[in-house]
């Protein structure tokens, strides 16, 4: 079996520690927000003979939702900040299309990975352009969910000024009824994203064999030499396929 | 030659009514009644959840608030074959009675009285004589000379301010006002007292339905659970509150409303021969003593009378295709076919063909109203208090006979005086006394039932749409304060496929039909004498005697 | 400007004295009123001042597409009592429900106030305005409601939109809104409109809004949606006495069940209290007797915009416009979820088919490395 070409792999530090911490914190709070959100929308009934005064089930669920909301929101702010100071794989340009070949790469990924047409495999170092573009929408969803969430929260919070920054929101949606609907429907975007995302991470791990899954753990990916060289020419730019 | 006069807006009613009348030789030769506002709720209901319909149709009217909701839940329960628990039936009946008491008193004092009572003339009354008069007709405590003189001063001050508010531009001093100053002052005093009183009786709705106007109803029963041993539902305190409100309501009706009505009527006996109109009367019946399905247990019996012949009462069947039908020959609608439609096949497509506003007159040779024209077996029918009282009387019900005969005797007028403007106004008062008593009777029945241990208030077993047939037809009826009311529903695939309302004021205020038969308002207005066409207070008297509700009529 | 009513009209203090109340009673009334309006003690002086000097405020109250329940609710007010409002505080110069005059005389009364009190009267509007078919779906005195509204708004000092009809179109604006029923703020530009939504609004709230204007000579402070903060700043849910049951997770499952008799939370039978801003939980209805939830029925959001189209009354989950009445957010979500599952499974299978070579190569490569390591 000598004809198998075994490429030389280089280890690349793709995901810096702050990005990894951000990622897992984010994944955790989103799962918590989805779970508690479901309960808020459609509570379980506790057919208990205990008195209301003895329990606070839904109260806790809401509290958890709100605590997670704060973590989620500031974590998100932090990630935006890191988009300006972090390494090139974390840079905001990875998400917002700024050049023609960004779109070209999206198309090529779409052809090869989604439609499974034959073609030249693209290989990227960070995430590919399509993934980046989807994360862009993901970030928009973060924004929508934060604005609608804190908009709902503003009138319930009597604590400090921060939620009050969102008190204009219900008026924009004509009231809480529609606002809650938007908040609720956006949750489904998160659920579907998570499903896609986790699948694709496994997919890449499987078809590329560069340690995709573990990269979000230790930060390292293993990149073929030739791909590595091509990418050196393009600092801060999404790679050509 | 006749001259056309227009009264628009007709005020002190609900909604937007326009009357055009041709005056000839000091009398109305012909009159046209037009409803000029439409919302098309029947179209809005299409495709919605039948269990929600009561809330939508409740908003048809905030004056006879609750009656459409009641009729709607009955209609849906009929379609889905739901029988509500006895307690819910009693609660609905009690709310029904409270509604009548409120609506009739407010109508008499706030919507109708100023047609008979000259407010400005009341300032000339002698408070002492007023007090004597008041005490001679009732033992209502608020009737001292001081009370009347304070009131008179207050109103004098008000009038002198130059800001006449709701009294501005009334027909004060018109020759048609016949009451002595003292009776005018009593009327004015009770106008204000009734304004305070009316906000009390509606609390019965607040307790059972959470608010008034527009209390909550529920398909399957009522939402107000009974909790005899918990602070959270209807318990002894809540029920005692209801009992007290009903009792106080009854006192006001007996000690203020009825004496005032009789006092005023005795000066206007000539109106016992004016404004009779159709002579056809119809009631669907209501206030079941033994469940809605047992029509024989209704306190208000069902039936129809034709040509003032009270020796014969016909049965009415709302399911029969050829009994109740709606026509649109003179209405701003269009049907796919021609002729009248039974409400299960009803259509509500609007087609305005009137003049372009602003306009001076309608073209009454063409369609001239947003009301459809309902007919019973082709006959124009009058509905309302007079119809109910006559049907009760004609069916030989003791309670009706008693109150009617006594009133006729007190006023010293013949039975035929009932077929008139005055008769209509009197019938409203007479049935109020009956209803005030029945409210207490139903209340006692509710208490008895709870005492026996029955605390059920709703049957939820058929609320789940999975248990519904794919198609269902239903009809629900009631006797609203203004008369016979029914809703018809077609349910298909858990949704409303068609929903039609035929409403009391639609019967009474509708335009004439294709055969030229006029409806109740137009019939009653014919031959009414008009002393001054510029101040047609006589038109108001007859129209107000029906207690118009145009939001209901068009919906 | 000279106020023509200033000399003739009795002031509130005069009214009070004439009715036999002392100045002390009057001050007490003012304090109560101030507390009712949510004022600090220091502004009581202001209330006294206002009630002592002002003539009665001219009011024109119009009716368009409506059911008159707002007028009915208004006359139910217990504090202040409506007879006193009518006789002592405002001059209700046009109201189709209550005024003595009809027809031409009624129209003349309105015109008189519009000219005599130009810039001073309050315009109250009950009902929506149909704009379809050039406005013929609501005509009064041969004019369309739109014409009447524009004329009456012209010289108004302020405009109050009573109830959900005037504030958000209410039931006649529900789909398909056949008459294009329109709330009035969409038709009046450049005039402050105070929205007092609710179907109807609570009587005491209505009287409270008027009294606010009379007392302070200025409009109440409004929230982002144009509603007086004094009555619409809290959700029903946040002032609901059943809230402990909500927090505890104790719910009514169906009407008249054991939980209903215990007064548990109505969330699962459709209560919209969590998204509805109104004073029901605090002020309650008809002089504080009860409110919908206290009488066992959920709030259905009657003071919120578009509430007739925002889902069904007895369901919590929100229905989505454009998906038919059936579709709730979760149904849409579940369908999307199923579709995603199928798509991903298909993709996984396809991957193994179409990328067989690539994967084989990777496997080979891996196995070779493994072999080499064994050596
Ligand atoms: C991924 C993020 C989030 C998800 C999936 C999510 C999900 C949900 C869901 C499903 C509901 C129930 C809605 C309904 O009644 O139909 C809800 C309610 C709510 N969420 Fe979120 N949410 C998220 C983020 C946030 C954020 C960032 C905030 C900010 C404070 C927030 C605040 C709220 C509030 C205030 C409610 C209403 C709670 C109540 O009325 O008791 N949520 N959420
Ligand atoms: C088993 C769970 C997960 C694994 C193994 C995983 C792994 C990864 C990996 C490897 C990346 C790099 C992306 C790429 O190369 O295309 C990534 C990025 C990302 N993941 Fe996850 N993920 C998981 C769950 C989640 C969840 C639940 C969320 C949130 C809903 C999430 C949100 C994101 C986001 C927003 C990024 C972009 C990161 C950035 O550049 O800021 N992940 N994830
Ligand atoms: N006509 C009518 Fe109604 C009544 N009574 C209802 O059915 O008034 Ni608004
Ligand atoms: S808001 Fe409601 S109560 Fe007021 S007029 Fe409109 S439908 Fe009637
Ligand atoms: S009954 Fe309604 S308003 Fe009250 S706590 Fe429950 S959900 Fe909230
Ligand atoms: S339905 Fe309306 S009356 Fe109050 S409790 Fe809800 S806002
Ligand atoms: Mg109809």
């Amino acid at each position: 079996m000598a004809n198998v070409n075994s490429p030389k792999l280089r280890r690349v530090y793709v995901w810096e520690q702050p990005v990894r911490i951000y990622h897992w914190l984010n994944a955790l709070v989103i799962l918590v927000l989805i779970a508690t959100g479901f309960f808020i929308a459609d509570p379980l009934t506790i057919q208990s003979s205990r008195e209301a005064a003895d329990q606070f089930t839904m109260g806790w669920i809401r509290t958890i939702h709100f605590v997670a909301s704060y973590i989620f929101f500031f974590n998100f702010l932090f990630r935006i900040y890191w988009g300006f100071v972090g390494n090139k794989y974390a840079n905001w340009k990875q998400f917002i299309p700024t050049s023609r070949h960004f779109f070209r790469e999206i198309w090529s990924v779409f052809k090869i990975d989604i439609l499974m047409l034959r073609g030249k495999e693209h290989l990227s170092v960070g995430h590919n352009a399509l993934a980046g573009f989807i994360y862009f929408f993901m970030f928009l969803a973060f924004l929508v969910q934060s604005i609608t969430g804190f908009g709902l929260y503003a009138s319930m919070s009597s604590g400090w000024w921060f939620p009050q920054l969102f008190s204009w929101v219900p008026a924009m949606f004509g009231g809480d009824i529609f606002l809650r609907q938007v908040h609720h429907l956006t949750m489904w975007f998160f659920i579907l994203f998570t499903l896609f995302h986790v699948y694709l991470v496994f997919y890449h791990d499987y078809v590329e064999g560069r340690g995709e899954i573990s990269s979000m753990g230790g930060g390292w990916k293993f990149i073929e030499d030739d791909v590595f060289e091509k990418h050196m020419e393009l600092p801060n730019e999404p790679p050509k396929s | 030659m006749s001259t056309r006069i227009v009264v628009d807006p007709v005020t002190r009613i609900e909604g937007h009514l326009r009357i055009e009348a041709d005056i000839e030789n000091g009398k109305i030769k012909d009159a046209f009644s037009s409803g000029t506002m439409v919302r098309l709720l029947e179209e809005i209901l299409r495709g919605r959840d039948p269990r929600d319909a009561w809330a939508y149709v409740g908003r048809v009217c905030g004056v006879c608030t609750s009656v459409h909701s009641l009729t709607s839940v009955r209609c849906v329960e009929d379609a889905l074959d739901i029988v509500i628990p006895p307690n819910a039936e009693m609660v609905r009946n009690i709310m029904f009675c409270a509604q009548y008491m409120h609506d009739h008193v407010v109508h008499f004092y706030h919507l109708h009285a100023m047609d008979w009572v000259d407010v400005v003339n009341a300032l000339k009354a002698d408070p002492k004589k007023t007090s004597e008069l008041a005490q001679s007709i009732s033992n209502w405590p608020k009737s001292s000379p001081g009370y009347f003189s304070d009131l008179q001063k207050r109103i004098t001050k008000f009038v002198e301010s130059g800001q006449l508010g709701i009294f501005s531009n009334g027909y004060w001093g018109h020759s048609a006002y016949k009451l002595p100053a003292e009776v005018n002052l009593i009327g004015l005093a009770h106008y204000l007292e009734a304004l305070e009183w009316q906000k009390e009786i509606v609390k019965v709705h607040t307790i059972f339905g959470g608010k008034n106007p527009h209390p909550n109803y529920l398909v399957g029963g009522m939402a107000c659970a009974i909790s005899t041993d918990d602070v959270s539902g209807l318990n002894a305190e809540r029920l005692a509150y209801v009992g007290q409100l009903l009792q106080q309501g009854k006192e006001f009706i007996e000690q203020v409303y009825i004496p005032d009505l009789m006092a005023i009527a005795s000066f206007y006996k000539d109106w016992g021969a004016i404004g009779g109109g159709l002579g056809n009367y119809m009631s669907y019946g209501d206030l079941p003593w033994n469940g809605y399905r047992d029509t024989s247990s209704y306190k208000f019996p069902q039936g129809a009378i034709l040509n003032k012949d009270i020796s014969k009462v016909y049965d009415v069947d709302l399911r029969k295709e050829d009994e109740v039908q709606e026509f649109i020959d003179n209405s701003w609608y269009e049907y796919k076919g021609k002729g009248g439609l039974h409400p299960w096949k009803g259509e509500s497509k609007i087609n305005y063909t009137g003049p372009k506003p602003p306009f001076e007159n309608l073209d009454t040779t063409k369609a001239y109203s947003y009301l459809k024209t309902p007919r019973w077996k082709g006959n124009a029918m009058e509905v309302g208090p007079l119809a109910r009282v006559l049907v009760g009387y004609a069916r030989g019900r003791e309670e009706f006979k008693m109150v009617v005969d006594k009133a006729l005797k007190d006023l010293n007028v013949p039975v035929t005086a009932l077929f008139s403007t005055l008769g209509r106004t009197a019938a409203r008062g007479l049935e109020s006394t009956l209803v005030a008593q029945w409210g207490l009777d139903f209340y006692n029945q509710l208490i008895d039932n709870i005492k026996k241990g029955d605390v059920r208030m709703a049957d939820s077993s058929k609320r789940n749409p999975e248990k519904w047939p794919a198609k269902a037809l239903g009809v629900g009826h009631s006797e609203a304060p203004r008369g016979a009311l029914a809703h018809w529903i077609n349910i298909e695939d858990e949704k409303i496929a068609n929903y039609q309302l035929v409403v009391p004021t639609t019967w009474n205020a509708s335009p004439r039909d294709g055969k030229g038969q006029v409806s109740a308002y137009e019939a009653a207005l014919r031959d009414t004498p008009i002393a001054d066409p510029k101040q047609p207070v006589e038109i108001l008297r007859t129209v107000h005697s029906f207690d118009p509700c145009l939001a209901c009529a068009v919906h | 400007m000279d106020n023509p009513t200033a000399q003739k009209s009795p002031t509130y203090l005069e009214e009070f004295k004439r009715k036999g109340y002392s100045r002390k009673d009057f001050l007490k009334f003012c304090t109560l009123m101030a507390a009712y309006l949510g004022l600090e003690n220091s502004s009581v002086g202001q209330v006294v001042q206002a009630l002592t000097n002002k003539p009665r405020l001219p009011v024109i109250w119009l009716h368009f597409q409506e059911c008159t329940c707002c007028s009915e609710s208004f006359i139910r007010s217990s504090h202040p009592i409506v007879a006193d409002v009518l006789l002592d505080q405002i001059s209700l110069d046009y109201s189709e429900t209550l005024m003595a005059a009809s027809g031409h005389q009624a129209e003349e009364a309105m015109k008189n106030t519009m000219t005599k009190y130009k810039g001073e009267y309050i315009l109250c509007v009950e009902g929506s305005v149909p704009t379809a078919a050039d406005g013929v779906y609501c005509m009064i005195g041969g004019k369309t409601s739109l014409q009447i509204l524009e004329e009456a708004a012209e010289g108004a000092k302020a405009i109050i939109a009573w109830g959900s009809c005037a504030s958000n179109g209410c039931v006649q604006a529900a789909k398909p809104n056949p008459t294009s029923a329109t709330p009035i703020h969409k038709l009046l530009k450049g005039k402050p409109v105070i929205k007092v939504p609710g179907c109807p609004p609570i009587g005491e709230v209505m009287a409270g809004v008027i009294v606010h204007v009379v007392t302070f000579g200025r409009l109440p402070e409004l929230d982002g949606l144009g509603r007086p903060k004094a009555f619409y700043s809290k959700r029903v849910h946040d002032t609901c006495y059943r809230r402990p049951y909500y927090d505890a997770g104790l719910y009514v499952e169906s009407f008249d069940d054991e939980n209903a008799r215990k007064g548990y939370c109505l969330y699962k039978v459709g209560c919209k209290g969590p998204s509805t801003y109104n004073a029901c939980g605090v002020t309650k209805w008809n002089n504080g007797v009860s409110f919908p939830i206290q009488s066992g029925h959920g709030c259905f959001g009657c003071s919120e915009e578009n509430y007739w189209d925002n889902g069904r009354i007895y369901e919590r989950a929100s229905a989505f416009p454009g998906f038919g009445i059936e579709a709730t957010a979760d149904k849409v979500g579940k369908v999307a979820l199923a579709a995603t599952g199928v798509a991903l499974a298909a993709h996984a299978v396809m991957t193994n088919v179409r990328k067989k070579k690539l994967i084989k190569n990777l496997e080979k490569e891996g196995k070779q490395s493994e072999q080499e390591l064994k050596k």
Side-chain angles (χ1 to χ4, degrees), chain C residues 235-247 250-252 263-276 291 293-294 297-299 316:
Chain C
R235 302 182 306 161
V236 172
H237 188 57
D238 292 330
T239 51
C240 177
Y241 78 105
R242 298 199 184 199
R243 181 56 179 272
Y245 293 108
Y246 171 89
D247 284 335
L250 298 170
Y251 302 102
V252 172
Y264 285 179
C265 169
L266 296 160
Y267 194 81
K268 298 191 86 175
V269 286
C271 184
K272 309 287 189 293
S275 9
T276 303
F291 71 114
I293 292 162
Q294 188 176 343
H297 196 287
C299 165
R316 257 291 313 154

Side-chain angles (χ1 to χ4, degrees), chain B residues 11-12 14 36 56 227 457, chain C residues 68 96 101 139 256 261 308:
Chain B
T11 59
R12 282 179 283 125
E14 196 298 325
T36 56
Y56 290 77
S227 312
M457 193 53 95
Chain C
T68 313
E96 282 165 36
M139 303 179 293
D256 206 30
R261 297 193 186 117
W308 294 109

Side-chain angles (χ1 to χ4, degrees), chain B residues 61 63-64 67-68 480-482 485 503-505 549 552:
Chain B
C61 185
V63 175
C64 64
V67 303
H68 289 284
R482 285 155 196 75
L485 168 67
V503 182
T505 304
C549 177
C552 272

Side-chain angles (χ1 to χ4, degrees), chain A residues 1 4 7 40-48 50-52 55-59 62 112-114 116-118 121 155-156 171 174-177 180-181 184-185 188 191-192 195-196 199 203 206-209, chain C residues 224-225 235 238 243-251 253 259 264 267-268 274-275 277 304-305 307 310 316 318-320 329-330 333-334 336-337 340 344 347-348 350-352 354-355 358-359 362 364-365 368:
Chain A
M1 295 197 162
V4 176
I40 292 171
D42 194 8
L44 286 176
T45 307
I46 307 158
Q47 293 283 4
S48 143
R50 277 198 294 165
E51 261 308 306
Q55 48 199 8
F56 197 62
T57 319
M58 275 302 289
R62 289 176 75 248
I112 294 161
D113 281 351
I114 312 288
M116 304 235 182
L117 301 174
R118 308 222 184 256
E121 288 285 332
S155 78
M156 308 169 196
D176 278 16
I177 296 185
R180 266 182 94 123
Q181 288 181 2
H184 191 117
L185 194 66
W188 280 101
I191 294 172
L192 298 182
L195 222 69
F196 266 111
Y199 171 79
Y203 166 83
Y206 180 49
V207 299
E208 290 169 3
Chain C
L225 284 167
R235 302 182 306 161
D238 292 330
R243 181 56 179 272
Y245 293 108
Y246 171 89
D247 284 335
L250 298 170
Y251 302 102
E253 288 287 306
N259 295 356
Y264 285 179
Y267 194 81
K268 298 191 86 175
S275 9
Y277 291 79
E304 289 295 311
E305 202 165 304
Y307 68 102
N310 268 323
R316 257 291 313 154
S318 19
F320 265 83
D330 285 338
K334 278 174 199 162
L337 188 64
T340 305
L344 293 187
H347 190 268
M350 284 305 285
T351 302
N352 285 307
R354 307 273 306 193
K355 302 210 167 170
L358 192 81
I359 294 162
L362 270 179
K364 250 189 221 160
E365 197 184 306
Q368 188 175 344

Side-chain angles (χ1 to χ4, degrees), chain B residues 10-271:
Chain B
V10 175
T11 59
R12 282 179 283 125
I13 62 163
E14 196 298 325
H16 303 294
L17 173 66
R18 176 185 181 99
I19 299 290
E20 294 201 6
D22 295 330
I23 317 278
E24 196 173 282
N25 303 325
K27 275 187 170 183
I28 295 178
K29 187 163 163 255
D30 200 2
F32 300 86
S33 153
S34 168
T36 56
M37 186 276 277
V38 60
R39 293 169 292 168
L40 236 51
L41 258 75
E42 289 163 349
E43 287 302 299
I44 290 166
L45 280 164
R46 237 176 252 283
R48 297 186 189 265
D49 187 329
R51 292 165 299 177
D52 295 356
W54 68 264
Y56 290 77
V57 295
R59 270 68 189 172
V60 161
C61 185
V63 175
C64 64
T65 185
S66 80
V67 303
H68 289 284
S69 297
L70 170 65
T71 309
S72 178
V73 292
R74 282 176 173 174
C75 171
V76 176
E77 285 155 5
D78 181 57
L80 302 177
D81 196 21
I82 297 172
V83 178
I84 64 168
N87 288 330
E89 197 82 79
M90 291 307 128
V91 166
R92 288 180 182 179
N93 285 345
I94 294 167
M95 290 174 73
F96 177 107
C97 294
Q99 172 56 29
Y100 262 55
M101 290 155 86
H102 179 271
D103 211 342
H104 284 0
V105 168
V106 167
H107 174 261
F108 182 73
Y109 287 104
H110 307 116
L111 307 183
H112 202 14
M114 285 194 276
D115 301 335
W116 314 100
V117 173
D118 185 334
V119 173
V120 175
N121 177 267
L123 302 180
K124 300 202 185 102
D126 175 353
K128 231 179 111 216
K129 277 206 224 144
T130 310
S131 163
E132 280 163 18
L133 178 66
Q135 285 169 3
S136 75
I137 59 174
S138 163
N139 44 14
W140 187 244
K142 284 188 182 172
S143 55
S144 68
Y147 174 77
F148 287 113
S149 98
D150 277 357
L151 174 88
Q152 206 179 28
K153 281 191 210 127
R154 188 178 186 190
I155 299 299
T156 308
K157 202 89 202 254
F158 178 87
V159 170
E160 282 170 357
S161 77
Q163 287 182 293
L164 280 181
I166 55 172
F167 302 126
S168 10
N169 268 8
Y171 304 136
W172 317 128
H174 191 290
S175 63
Y177 287 108
K178 301 260 180 60
L179 298 180
E182 284 72 25
V183 180
N184 282 323
L185 185 56
I186 293 177
L188 184 57
H190 292 165
Y191 179 101
L192 295 174
E193 271 184 52
L195 199 52
E196 281 201 33
W197 171 88
Q198 55 85 29
K199 70 184 182 6
E200 298 303 312
I201 186 69
V202 300
K203 290 176 181 171
V204 171
H205 285 195
T206 318
I207 292 167
F208 291 131
K211 68 198 261 229
N212 174 285
H214 296 333
N216 293 316
Y217 277 74
L218 183 77
V219 167
M222 291 299 283
C224 48
I226 296 170
S227 312
T228 49
D229 295 295
D230 198 302
V231 60
S232 306
L234 296 176
N235 53 22
E237 177 270 332
R238 294 274 99 178
L239 292 168
Y241 202 163
V242 171
Q244 180 183 314
L245 290 164
L246 292 171
Q247 187 60 44
Q248 287 169 349
K250 181 166 179 271
E251 277 160 22
F252 189 88
I253 284 170
E254 285 171 353
Q255 296 182 27
V256 183
Y257 177 16
I258 297 305
D260 285 358
L261 171 66
M262 288 314 203
I264 293 172
S266 65
F267 289 94
Y268 289 104
K269 283 191 206 166
D270 50 334
W271 283 82

Side-chain angles (χ1 to χ4, degrees), chain B residues 413-453:
Chain B
V413 289
V415 161
T416 52
L418 284 171
F419 307 115
S420 69
T421 294
L422 188 67
R424 225 170 267 125
T425 297
R428 189 171 290 109
L430 298 181
E431 71 171 10
S432 296
T433 60
L434 294 178
V435 163
Q437 179 54 46
W438 293 338
L440 283 166
D441 294 345
F442 288 122
Y443 173 77
N444 290 332
Q445 204 190 9
L446 173 67
I447 300 289
D448 277 353
N449 207 40
I450 297 174
K451 216 192 266 175
K452 281 189 215 132

